[in-house]
Amino acid sequence: MRLKTSDLTPIGFNVHGQSPPLVDPFGRAVSYLRVSVTDRCDLRCVYCMAEEMTFLPKRDLLTLEELDRLCSAFVERGVSKLRITGGEPLVRRGIMGLFRSLSRHLDSGLLRELTLTTNGTQLEKYAAELADCGVRRINVSLDTLDPDRFRAITRWGDLDRVLAGIDAADDAGIRVKINAVALKGVNEDEIETLLRFAHWRGFDLTLIEVMPLGEIEPMRIDQFLSLGDVRGRLEQRFTLTDLPDNTGGPARYVRVEETGGRLGFITPLTHNFCESCNRVRVTCTGTLYMCLGQEDAVDLRAPLRASEGNELLERAVETAIARKPKGHDFIIERRRSQGVASRHMSTTGG
Ligand code: SAM
């Protein structure tokens, strides 16, 4: 279709109601948005949060209506995958109203996937409703299957509750993927157990390298476990066959021939996956980060609150996407081990 001058609007092309996709200067279309709906969590995982966290005042958070407007604006500009995260997204009061409302974009076909990342503690309560809102897959973070260790890692969590949540999701027909952060000296002896558990239940397992985000007590370098080493150890026991990567994300997948299940490795520190990056993140205060590992950000809360229409918001989003960097730059070494990014994962959204 040829564009006419009359198709130009102050915020770009708008042809027959279709807004143009968000494409960054490196030609990467932004099709995946991760939105943190709260910085609060009912757990305090040692690598993620300090024990004494100061949480944001409620007025700083985007309201559920603002979150809906923001997500919808991205969906109308070509975002087809939306991941709700946190903090712990399911502790945000009224969160199911947001899922219910966003599910209209699944019905319209604009959104291909509505999903979330959760610690699983509230899943027993919400799994059926999430499924009813069109959530088909979820990521559940689970670093250990040992109740005492679980309590130590999360500072007070109850493993049984998470396992019951996983069962509830499974019963509701939601596909579960288990995400485990590989931590040196903490759960490195349990990777095989996690793998066997996940694959026995028919779930994918993804291992994540600890990232230098936020100020927490233990030095990152002490927690860091290279997934290259983990893979090497697993290969002594299992046959791992590389699978073609089609997620556009940082995970590289293998098939574990002995279990038939899929295993993913997220290695932001040892591999660059930026060339295929299709994602951006919004914090619960409406700050848009174009890259998890860079500080540059654009405020979307002010334009959201400045008017009822979305023109200012769209302009801010376009400005941000035009600044999406080519890649990130995590470095773990002693002199910088408190993190290139001073924000916690719970703030940016994992
Ligand atoms: N509460 C939800 C959950 O537990 O999945 C969503 C937010 S949580 C911050 C998202 C993921 O980030 C979790 O899998 C968590 O283990 C991971 N995470 C937190 N801090 C991290 C860090 N410094 N490095 C790597 N992963 C981290």
Side-chain angles (χ1 to χ4, degrees), residues 7-14 19-20 22 77 310-316 318:
D7 293 327
L8 274 172
T9 73
I11 56 161
F13 292 109
N14 195 332
S19 297
L22 298 164
R77 296 294 299 270
N310 281 351
E311 288 79 7
L312 294 175
L313 173 66
E314 287 213 36
R315 229 170 284 165
E318 286 168 0

Side-chain angles (χ1 to χ4, degrees), residues 24-254:
D24 78 4
F26 305 97
R28 298 169 299 188
V30 173
S31 58
Y32 182 9
L33 175 68
R34 300 166 76 108
V35 181
S36 173
V37 295
T38 177
D39 62 332
R40 285 160 204 258
C41 188
D42 51 352
L43 301 178
R44 291 286 181 282
C45 297
V46 288
Y47 54 83
C48 183
M49 289 187 177
E51 187 159 10
E52 297 296 327
M53 290 287 290
T54 310
F55 292 111
L56 295 162
K58 294 234 164 74
R59 66 176 178 281
D60 287 356
L61 300 192
L62 296 186
T63 64
L64 293 171
E65 292 71 23
E66 287 167 340
L67 284 164
D68 185 286
R69 258 180 77 199
L70 183 138
C71 292
S72 301
F74 273 93
V75 168
E76 277 150 27
R77 296 294 299 270
V79 161
S80 58
K81 179 171 174 179
L82 198 52
R83 179 177 298 280
I84 305 299
T85 181
E88 172 48 41
L90 297 182
V91 302
R92 172 89 194 241
R93 192 176 301 181
I95 190 64
M96 293 316 297
L98 181 66
F99 277 102
R100 179 70 60 196
S101 163
L102 290 173
S103 70
R104 71 187 185 280
H105 298 304
L106 290 171
D107 298 337
S108 76
L110 281 180
L111 196 58
R112 197 171 41 82
E113 183 166 25
L114 175 61
T115 184
L116 75 151
T117 298
T118 174
N119 63 26
T121 60
Q122 312 295 317
L123 270 180
E124 236 189 323
K125 188 164 146 198
Y126 291 129
E129 206 176 339
L130 285 167
D132 196 48
C133 292
V135 173
R136 297 282 167 263
R137 300 192 304 171
I138 56 173
N139 290 353
V140 180
S141 303
L142 180 63
D143 302 329
T144 177
L145 289 165
D146 178 301
D148 294 330
R149 199 177 267 185
F150 185 80
R151 205 167 304 114
I153 293 175
T154 61
R155 290 199 176 97
W156 54 65
D158 176 4
L159 177 66
D160 282 344
R161 201 164 153 191
V162 174
L163 295 178
I166 290 173
D167 288 346
D170 202 22
D171 291 345
I174 298 176
R175 273 196 72 179
V176 174
K177 178 161 80 72
I178 305 290
N179 281 347
V181 178
L183 297 159
K184 192 167 166 181
V186 178
N187 65 355
E188 62 179 302
D189 60 344
E190 228 189 307
I191 304 291
E192 187 179 326
T193 311
L194 282 163
L195 177 83
R196 289 191 186 279
F197 165 78
H199 289 183
W200 165 64
R201 294 290 307 264
F203 308 151
D204 288 347
L205 171 71
T206 300
L207 301 172
I208 307 173
E209 265 174 5
V210 73
M211 288 181 264
L213 297 173
E215 305 272 330
I216 55 164
E217 297 89 33
M219 296 267 284
R220 299 282 176 199
I221 198 161
D222 295 333
Q223 298 176 334
F224 179 70
L225 177 61
S226 155
L227 288 187
D229 293 348
V230 172
R231 182 175 174 149
R233 271 184 242 164
L234 286 173
E235 276 174 331
Q236 293 173 5
R237 311 260 303 163
F238 299 97
T239 312
L240 308 183
T241 309
D242 283 314
L243 293 172
D245 172 46
N246 57 8
T247 63
R252 296 283 171 267
Y253 284 95
V254 297

